[in-house]
Amino acid sequence: MSLHADIRADAGALVIEARLEARSGEVVGIVGPNGAGKTTVLKAIAGLWPISRGKVSINEWVVEDSEAGIRNPPEQRSVGMVFQDLRLFPHMSVADNIGYGLRLRGVPRKQARVLAEPLIETLGLAPHSKQKPGSLSGGQAQKVALARTLITNPQVILLDEPFSALDAESRPKVRRDMSLYFRHPDCTTIIVTHDPMEAKALCNRVIVMEEGRFIQEGEIDRIADDPKSRYAAESLGLNFFPGVAAGETVDVGGEATLSVVGEHHGRVIVSFHPRAVVLHQTRPEGTARNVFKAIVRTVRHENGITRVTTAGSLSAVAEITRVSAEQLNLRPGAEVWLSVKAAQIQVTPL
């Protein structure tokens, strides 16, 4: 186990109680509404926020223990944190920003620059190494912030909304380029994000946090099947399918191909809300292209809405009214047909 954190912290009126365990090589996402305490958890692990009770250990090395009176400062925890606002030094060059972590450890400036060169080259930042952060694009600045963290070889990387400042066009490429560094076998990565697509693309599993508590965790598809809160249902309870796009179709495997709107190519994630899924007792007539036969797995009624999980060439979750569910006589094992309009499917490049 690479990271263990069992903490209680006060953030104004919000009391945070969180227990997190993650293995080396694992990428864990923390998702939740604004004000849930997600960033405070990262800061507490990094030693940037005081905890009132608890323990944080990295590879069995205890960096903080309230009962034992242990509290190592941030620079001694082998933790690297990339903040949402990046916090690059505007007066320093790209090379000096990246080498700053080494300078803090006593490495001379010239040697720090030499040590930074391989990482600068790998991330495609060599043409910009002498530039100041103010002249960089959002994606380039994001890479500098990550490189500044990676160069110290941290055992834990903490990322706070790492791609939120990027525009929709550049985000997929930067995310793809940087994700290669998140799965290092000797490092654990924790990502705070509001974007379910980002969580799906990057994380092995996610933790849903609300009002200072972890209320659910697991693979995102399993949470989508059985969300424990309205936030989880609305944000993570989507139908997600990785696939390969070719024009107006996406092959999502399992003998299923989805028709979508617009031209798309390469690796993508397609998603649609459970409310976009229409269930039928018999194959629907008409020109609908996204029609699949399936078997009902589970039927759950809640607040007038029935959530139905299905299995088939396209295993999807549907949300329908309870009246519709009764009319369809839905029960586990029943055969149904499901349909989804192409216009209701979102396509996100990977």
Side-chain angles (χ1 to χ4, degrees):
M1 184 67 66
S2 177
L3 173 65
H4 169 87
D6 187 355
I7 57 175
R8 177 188 172 97
D10 298 319
L14 183 68
V15 177
I16 293 169
E17 293 185 347
R19 179 183 176 88
L20 186 154
E21 293 186 347
R23 301 182 304 275
S24 295
E26 190 174 21
V27 181
V28 179
I30 303 178
V31 301
N34 290 331
K38 304 182 297 296
T39 297
T40 303
V41 170
L42 296 192
K43 289 182 176 179
I45 293 170
L48 298 169
W49 192 278
I51 65 174
S52 55
R53 177 197 58 76
K55 182 177 180 179
V56 179
S57 60
I58 299 170
N59 287 339
E60 300 184 1
W61 168 43
V62 178
V63 298
E64 185 158 7
D65 187 333
S66 58
E67 290 187 4
I70 298 171
R71 180 172 168 77
N72 284 285
E75 64 271 18
Q76 294 180 9
R77 295 195 178 201
S78 192
V79 172
M81 184 163 178
V82 178
F83 296 90
Q84 186 173 350
D85 59 5
L86 304 185
R87 302 190 183 183
L88 300 178
F89 299 109
H91 63 287
M92 290 185 182
S93 68
V94 164
D96 286 340
N97 262 283
I98 293 173
Y100 181 75
L102 296 176
R103 298 284 307 282
L104 285 179
R105 298 185 177 188
V107 178
R109 180 180 180 184
K110 186 174 182 180
Q111 185 181 353
R113 283 185 171 182
V114 172
L115 293 172
E117 285 178 0
L119 193 55
I120 290 173
E121 188 70 35
T122 300
L123 286 170
L125 292 170
H128 314 286
S129 63
K130 296 181 180 180
Q131 294 178 224
K132 301 292 177 60
S135 65
L136 302 177
S137 68
Q140 291 163 350
Q142 198 80 55
K143 289 182 178 181
V144 173
L146 178 65
R148 185 176 62 184
T149 296
L150 292 174
I151 199 169
T152 61
N153 294 315
Q155 293 173 311
V156 176
I157 297 177
L158 307 174
L159 302 167
D160 187 11
E161 296 282 356
F163 308 109
S164 60
L166 302 181
D167 59 74
E169 289 187 4
S170 62
R171 188 178 299 123
K173 184 180 187 307
V174 176
R175 183 174 62 205
R176 184 169 58 249
D177 290 346
M178 293 173 63
S179 67
L180 299 174
Y181 297 92
F182 298 160
R183 298 184 182 277
H184 193 284
D186 297 326
C187 184
T188 300
T189 302
I190 311 297
I191 300 177
V192 162
T193 178
H194 283 93
D195 186 347
M197 292 294 121
E198 197 166 280
K200 176 67 176 179
L202 296 175
C203 302
N204 302 100
R205 58 187 170 93
V206 297
I207 298 170
V208 181
M209 185 175 191
E210 296 187 40
E211 298 181 345
R213 305 289 192 277
F214 289 174
I215 65 169
Q216 189 173 8
E217 67 177 283
E219 295 179 3
I220 195 168
D221 292 332
R222 293 186 179 277
I223 293 177
D225 277 354
D226 186 24
K228 301 301 184 184
S229 71
R230 179 163 294 279
Y231 174 85
E234 289 296 325
S235 61
L236 298 180
L238 303 176
N239 290 287
F240 296 97
F241 300 95
V244 179
E248 295 185 348
T249 62
V250 179
D251 182 352
V252 295
E255 300 181 357
T257 300
L258 288 168
S259 295
V260 297
V261 174
E263 288 279 333
H264 308 275
H265 297 277
R267 295 175 60 244
V268 299
I269 290 177
V270 294
S271 64
F272 49 89
H273 199 280
R275 289 194 293 267
V277 180
V278 181
L279 298 180
H280 316 263
Q281 284 185 321
T282 59
R283 183 182 180 92
E285 299 179 354
T287 58
R289 291 175 290 172
N290 294 320
V291 177
F292 305 91
K293 190 175 183 179
I295 301 294
V296 174
R297 287 171 48 208
T298 63
V299 180
R300 190 180 66 184
H301 305 289
E302 184 177 342
N303 298 325
I305 297 297
T306 298
R307 190 173 178 89
V308 183
T309 63
T310 67
S313 57
L314 187 79
S315 299
V317 180
E319 283 186 1
I320 60 177
T321 66
R322 189 158 187 164
V323 172
S324 295
E326 291 172 353
Q327 291 174 344
L328 290 168
N329 192 27
L330 295 177
R331 65 190 185 284
E335 289 188 353
V336 293
W337 290 85
L338 59 88
S339 62
V340 186
K341 292 182 179 178
Q344 293 178 301
I345 298 175
Q346 179 181 347
V347 182
T348 303
L350 279 177

